[in-house]
């Protein structure tokens, strides 16, 4: 590997670690939901607030991320993000109450802008030949972080089950969820240290008219003979925009007629990516898998398959994004997503729930389990009906705390079909819209407005993500998992139709060539 390519890959790898922290933070919470709900006696909406608190934080942060990245530079903005991850991880692990936990996770959400700013930075330092691969490294890091979280949660649960003396001495059995969330502290500290090794973005330096510094950075990334041409291209791109660099002027440019197709593509994929419900599956992995009737403890092990599938298919997407192109991966990937969600919805729709007398006798963990005799032999045709009956019979707290066991003993469904469909959905997402959205965001906006445009569009993505996370437990209670997944499939299908019409291929083109192609659409 040549020195230029090596430098680009090194800097991109370090910055993309923000994706690892994002994935770790996002998935660690999935293993804590039962413990947190029980310790703080949370309702479904309160649990949704804990899980979605980072999404609220990122909504606030994205309002300022563009200004910060333009004012202080991409590098400094990302270093601030690393510090926020550290503060959030420490605060979450030691949170004394529900409110403090929500606040701590909200602070972590301020750091979730690491995804948009990392894609911006990498897109600006990457040679166009490798841009797709390097920006996709963010998604690779996200899924590695997700997988690491599922492994950590399972490992901690396994240690608690071992009953070893040191487990009790260290408080793993009594503070299980705190240990899970606390594991984020070390990688956040390491990332902050590594960020001091990366240079400032050359595009930002040109944006600030610091041309000599931009040339110095570019000499680390491309041959000397190409530096002047690269600088000229960036300056010409800036000269085509307004001389007014104010936020108002940049937003006006974003909303202008030349950016119409760009905006349609960006908004559609921003909404569709999160409307897949990916964060409902990832952030509530144990809750979703419990619906298959395999029990709470087994769900931690099965969640590992979600993480492994994410890694494998993200790597495949990374290898193919610069060969097959952005458009085929997104279009066919969304077709795959719709089919997988539809299959999941069908499988859950066929489920039936019946409590037997033998099951009541076996469920000794439930206080006064004889209360269930009132519904013995009654067949429920949906998870909504079944959970409602459980709440009426056992009360809110016991129905919530023992839901995994009750579904395990009562559900009759094709668990293998549904689990296959879930893994198929995970594979489709991470092969297509997961990583490729960030590649597109790094390519379709001109230098003059990308510091504002990428965080602004990411704000839309984060808003949809927040709504999915916040209301998923409530949707399960009110509508059931089959209907919820079907709604996700319909929204993605609408996005697919729009992108089929407007999405252009950007593979192998400079940012300036992409702008010309989009304006002709």
């Amino acid at each position: 590997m040549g020195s230029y390519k090596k430098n680009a890959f090194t800097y991109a790898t370090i910055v993309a670690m923000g994706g690892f922290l994002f994935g770790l933070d996002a998935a660690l919470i999935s293993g804590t939901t039962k413990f947190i709900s029980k310790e703080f006696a949370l309702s479904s909406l309160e649990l949704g607030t804990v899980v979605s608190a980072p999404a609220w934080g990122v909504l606030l942060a994205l309002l300022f991320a563009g200004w910060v990245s333009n004012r202080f530079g991409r590098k400094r903005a990302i270093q601030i993000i690393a510090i926020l991850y550290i503060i959030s991880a420490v605060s979450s692990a030691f949170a004394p109450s529900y409110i403090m936990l929500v606040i701590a996770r909200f602070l972590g959400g301020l750091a979730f802008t690491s995804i948009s700013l990392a894609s911006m930075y990498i897109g600006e330092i990457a040679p166009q030949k490798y841009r797709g691969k390097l920006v996709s490294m963010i998604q690779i890091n996200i899924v590695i972080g997700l997988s690491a979280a599922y492994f950590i949660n399972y490992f901690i649960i396994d240690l608690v089950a071992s009953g070893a003396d040191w487990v009790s001495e260290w408080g793993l059995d009594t503070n299980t969820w705190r240990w899970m969330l606390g594991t984020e502290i070390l990688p956040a500290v390491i990332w902050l240290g590594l960020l001091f090794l990366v240079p400032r973005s050359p595009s930002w330096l040109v944006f600030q008219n610091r041309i000599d510094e931009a040339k110095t950075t570019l000499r680390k990334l491309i041959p000397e003979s190409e530096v002047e041409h690269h600088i000229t291209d960036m300056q010409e791109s800036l000269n085509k925009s307004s001389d007014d660099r104010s936020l108002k002027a940049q937003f006006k440019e974003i909303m202008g007629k030349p950016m119409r197709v760009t905006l349609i593509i960006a908004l559609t994929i921003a909404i569709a990516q999160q409307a897949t419900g990916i964060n409902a599956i990832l952030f509530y992995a144990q809750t979703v898998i419990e619906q298959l009737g395999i029990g709470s403890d087994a769900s931690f092990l099965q969640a590992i398959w979600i993480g492994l599938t994410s890694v494998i298919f993200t790597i495949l997407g990374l290898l193919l994004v610069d060969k097959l192109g952005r458009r085929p991966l997104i279009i066919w990937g969304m077709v795959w997503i719709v089919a997988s969600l539809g299959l999941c919805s069908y499988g859950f729709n066929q489920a039936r729930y019946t409590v037997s007398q033998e099951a009541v006798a076996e469920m000794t963990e439930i206080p006064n389990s004889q209360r269930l005799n009132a519904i013995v032999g009654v067949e429920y045709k949906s998870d909504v009906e079944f959970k409602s009956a459980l709440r009426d019979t056992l009360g809110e707290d016991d129905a919530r705390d023992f839901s995994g066991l009750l579904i395990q003993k009562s559900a009759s469904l094709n668990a293998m079909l549904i689990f296959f469909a879930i893994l198929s959905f995970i594979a489709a997402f991470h092969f297509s819209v997961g990583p490729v959205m960030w590649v597109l965001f790094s390519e379709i906006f001109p230098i003059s407005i990308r510091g504002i445009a990428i965080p602004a569009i990411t704000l839309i993505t984060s808003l949809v993500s927040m709504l999915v996370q916040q209301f998923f437990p409530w949707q399960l209670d009110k509508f059931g998992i089959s209907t919820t997944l079907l709604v996700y499939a319909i929204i993605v299908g609408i996005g697919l139709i729009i992108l089929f019409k407007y999405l252009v291929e950007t593979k192998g083109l400079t940012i300036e060539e992409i702008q010309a192609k989009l304006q002709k659409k």
Side-chain angles (χ1 to χ4, degrees):
M1 183 183 292
S3 59
Y4 305 119
K5 183 179 177 181
K6 182 179 179 181
N7 286 339
F9 272 75
T10 299
Y11 301 146
T13 299
I14 291 174
V15 173
M17 281 182 65
F20 176 84
L21 267 296
F22 172 87
L24 191 68
D25 189 287
L28 283 172
I29 194 66
S30 70
T32 70
T33 52
K34 286 288 184 182
F35 301 104
I36 292 171
S37 294
K38 187 173 183 179
E39 181 166 333
F40 298 127
L42 303 182
S43 67
S44 59
L45 282 177
E46 287 173 331
L47 176 60
T49 300
V50 170
V51 174
S52 67
W56 289 97
V58 75
L59 289 177
L60 176 63
L62 285 169
L63 296 176
F64 304 98
W67 178 83
V68 172
S69 67
N70 280 347
R71 176 66 179 82
F72 301 103
R74 297 17 167 173
K75 176 179 176 177
R76 291 288 179 262
I78 295 172
Q79 287 173 325
I80 293 171
I81 285 169
I83 294 171
L84 287 171
Y85 270 125
I86 296 170
I87 295 172
S88 173
V90 173
S91 302
S92 296
F94 292 96
S97 65
Y98 159 68
I99 295 298
M100 292 306 297
L101 179 59
V102 170
I103 293 172
R105 287 185 51 74
F106 177 86
L107 291 175
L110 299 178
F112 276 17
T113 49
S114 59
I115 307 302
S116 61
L117 294 185
S119 68
M120 185 193 308
Y121 177 91
I122 295 172
E124 292 175 350
I125 67 160
Q128 65 189 63
K129 181 180 178 180
Y130 303 111
R131 191 189 307 123
K133 285 186 173 65
L134 293 180
V135 175
S136 294
M137 287 175 63
I138 299 169
Q139 190 68 25
I140 284 284
N141 275 268
I142 290 175
V143 297
I144 291 175
L146 291 169
S147 297
Y150 295 138
F151 274 107
I152 289 169
N153 287 344
Y154 174 71
F155 181 65
I156 291 176
I157 289 294
D158 197 46
L159 287 176
V160 171
S162 72
D165 291 340
W166 69 269
V167 171
S168 296
E169 291 173 3
W170 285 37
L172 265 73
D173 53 347
T174 55
N175 295 293
T176 306
W177 67 269
R178 298 181 186 277
W179 278 94
M180 290 176 176
L181 298 183
T183 56
E184 186 181 340
I185 298 171
L186 180 59
V189 171
I190 293 173
W191 186 45
L192 176 61
L194 290 174
L195 285 172
F196 286 94
L197 303 178
V198 304
R200 290 185 178 274
S201 160
S203 294
W204 178 77
L205 290 170
V206 171
F207 183 76
Q208 295 290 324
N209 201 32
R210 293 159 63 172
I211 305 302
D212 289 339
E213 293 178 64
K215 290 180 180 178
T216 300
T217 297
L218 284 173
R219 291 186 183 103
K220 300 176 182 178
L221 301 168
I222 58 177
E224 176 70 35
S225 59
E226 299 177 15
V227 170
E228 289 294 339
H229 177 69
H230 206 77
I231 291 290
T232 301
D233 281 348
M234 288 190 284
Q235 288 176 319
E236 288 179 355
S237 178
L238 283 173
N239 290 336
K240 291 178 182 178
S241 65
S242 170
D243 292 333
D244 185 354
R245 302 286 175 80
S246 67
L247 290 178
K248 181 179 179 180
Q250 291 184 66
F251 273 113
K252 184 177 180 181
E253 185 174 348
I254 293 171
M255 301 302 293
K257 186 176 180 180
M259 296 296 295
R260 182 181 63 89
V261 173
T262 300
L263 198 58
I264 290 173
I265 293 170
L267 287 174
T268 301
I269 196 170
I271 293 170
Q273 195 218 42
Q274 288 303 313
T276 60
I278 185 65
N279 284 341
I281 303 297
L282 296 179
F283 293 16
Y284 295 94
Q286 275 71 37
T287 302
V288 172
I289 296 175
E290 276 185 13
Q291 302 287 314
L292 301 180
I294 63 174
S296 297
D297 290 346
S299 68
F300 280 90
L301 178 60
Q302 296 303 321
I304 292 175
W305 286 103
I306 291 179
L308 291 175
T309 301
S310 301
V311 171
I312 291 169
F313 281 88
T314 300
I315 291 173
L316 285 175
L318 172 66
L319 294 174
L320 294 175
V321 68
D322 283 326
K323 294 181 179 180
L324 298 181
R326 288 53 158 158
R327 179 181 166 86
L329 284 182
I330 287 181
I331 297 300
W332 289 108
M334 290 178 73
V335 171
W336 186 2
I337 287 171
V338 171
S340 299
L341 288 173
L343 187 59
C344 280
S345 177
Y346 170 79
F348 279 118
N349 187 58
Q350 299 304 303
R352 298 295 181 265
Y353 305 86
T354 307
V355 177
S356 67
Q357 194 64 61
E358 293 77 11
V360 173
E362 292 173 358
M363 290 186 283
T364 55
E365 301 94 328
I366 302 177
N368 191 18
S369 61
Q370 288 73 25
R371 290 175 290 171
L372 291 167
N373 288 334
I375 59 172
V376 165
V378 179
E379 182 181 87
Y380 296 95
K381 296 183 179 181
S382 73
D383 52 326
V384 176
E385 292 180 9
F386 182 58
K387 291 177 182 178
S388 178
L390 292 178
R391 286 192 292 269
D392 293 340
T393 305
L394 299 178
E396 191 76 38
D397 292 344
D398 282 350
R400 178 195 63 227
D401 295 342
F402 298 102
S403 62
L405 175 64
L406 289 160
I407 292 176
Q408 180 185 6
K409 295 293 186 181
S410 308
S412 174
L413 74 173
N414 192 334
M416 288 300 296
L417 172 68
I418 299 172
F419 191 57
F420 167 79
I422 290 173
L423 293 183
S424 176
F425 163 64
I426 295 295
F429 178 88
H430 288 101
F431 182 74
S432 58
V433 293
V436 181
M437 183 183 80
W438 299 110
V439 176
L440 281 175
F441 283 3
S442 73
E443 295 177 330
I444 62 177
F445 294 108
I447 295 172
S448 58
I449 61 172
R450 59 178 29 217
I452 297 299
I454 293 178
I457 297 299
T458 306
L459 179 66
I460 304 299
T461 298
S462 300
L463 177 61
V464 178
S465 175
M466 179 274 295
L467 293 172
V468 168
Q469 296 170 51
Q470 173 71 51
F471 292 106
F472 184 66
W474 177 81
Q475 286 175 303
L476 291 186
D477 283 347
K478 299 298 181 182
F479 307 112
I481 191 165
S482 177
T483 300
T484 300
L485 296 178
L486 182 60
V487 170
Y488 294 158
I490 292 171
I491 297 173
V492 176
I494 295 171
L496 171 62
I497 294 171
I498 296 171
L499 289 174
F500 185 82
K501 179 177 180 180
Y502 288 103
L503 184 61
V504 301
E505 184 54 69
T506 60
K507 179 185 71 172
L509 303 177
T510 67
I511 293 175
E512 292 70 30
E513 289 169 339
I514 293 169
Q515 302 312 309
K517 189 173 184 180
L518 285 168
Q519 291 177 18
K520 292 179 182 178
K521 182 70 174 178

